[in-house]
Amino acid sequence: MLREARISALLQHPNTIPTHEIGRDNRGNYYFTMKLVHGYTLREVLNYRERYDLTQLMDVIIQIGNALAYAHSVGVLHRDIKPENLLLQSEEDRITITLADFGFAASVEELKSPEAREFRFGTVDYMAPELLSPGEPDYTTAGDIWAAGVVAYVLLAGR
């Protein structure tokens, strides 16, 4: 949890959830507070609606790409991009996407250690082929980009 808090605290972007505080309670347990985001996961929206405006879908895909580009620029890999980790808020005619759940995230520096790469993280349906092949997974920005591409396909194809 402390690792997730530290990583999410690095991210200050309109399409990520800001971390406000990291600390310890009276018993020594770590906690962190984040901005409360109201909305639905992209998965919930996909399960509810059958048709979407193409312009809105393209805007959603661009926002996902912007959030990932920013995370990658500060050395953070999400490692679990999927509709369940994308929060959608609708204000007037504008849809905003927020990339959430950095529980599997890691810094590029952290992934240089062989111990940090021995476990596979992510959701199989959205994982890049090279992360599913035998041997030690090689997590790079390409894995996140692949997963975002799968999300874009799901959005545009509806399945």
Side-chain angles (χ1 to χ4, degrees):
M1 183 188 80
L2 182 60
R3 189 170 72 39
E4 178 183 1
R6 286 183 176 154
I7 287 174
S8 65
L10 292 172
L11 305 172
Q12 301 297 320
H13 186 272
N15 298 108
T16 62
I17 303 173
T19 297
H20 296 303
E21 180 182 16
I22 301 172
R24 285 186 179 201
D25 64 15
N26 293 339
R27 294 184 181 177
N29 299 313
Y30 287 103
Y31 69 87
F32 65 107
T33 60
M34 303 176 86
K35 176 183 176 183
L36 176 62
V37 177
H38 295 282
Y40 298 96
T41 68
L42 191 53
R43 171 63 60 215
E44 291 170 322
V45 173
L46 288 171
N47 289 343
Y48 177 73
R49 292 182 61 187
E50 291 183 18
R51 301 183 94 175
Y52 303 91
D53 176 80
L54 182 60
T55 303
Q56 288 179 326
L57 291 178
M58 293 308 298
D59 187 42
V60 165
I61 292 167
I62 289 167
Q63 288 181 59
I64 294 167
N66 288 340
L68 276 180
Y70 174 76
H72 294 164
S73 76
V74 296
V76 172
L77 301 180
H78 187 279
R79 302 195 300 176
D80 198 22
I81 303 297
K82 60 184 178 181
E84 292 81 357
N85 289 338
L86 294 160
L87 302 175
L88 187 140
Q89 305 87 45
S90 182
E91 299 170 13
E92 298 174 13
D93 287 339
R94 173 90 168 121
I95 293 175
T96 304
I97 286 290
T98 304
L99 180 57
D101 193 355
F102 283 82
F104 291 156
S107 70
V108 173
E109 287 300 314
E110 180 182 4
L111 289 171
K112 289 180 181 176
S113 158
E115 299 82 32
R117 293 190 316 259
E118 27 182 90
F119 299 104
R120 296 184 197 283
F121 292 98
T123 302
V124 174
D125 290 346
Y126 296 89
M127 288 177 80
E130 64 269 18
L131 297 175
L132 296 170
S133 44
E136 187 178 274
D138 185 21
Y139 285 102
T140 66
T141 57
D144 281 351
I145 294 167
W146 172 277
V150 175
V151 170
Y153 176 84
V154 168
L155 282 170
L156 296 172
R159 57 185 170 88

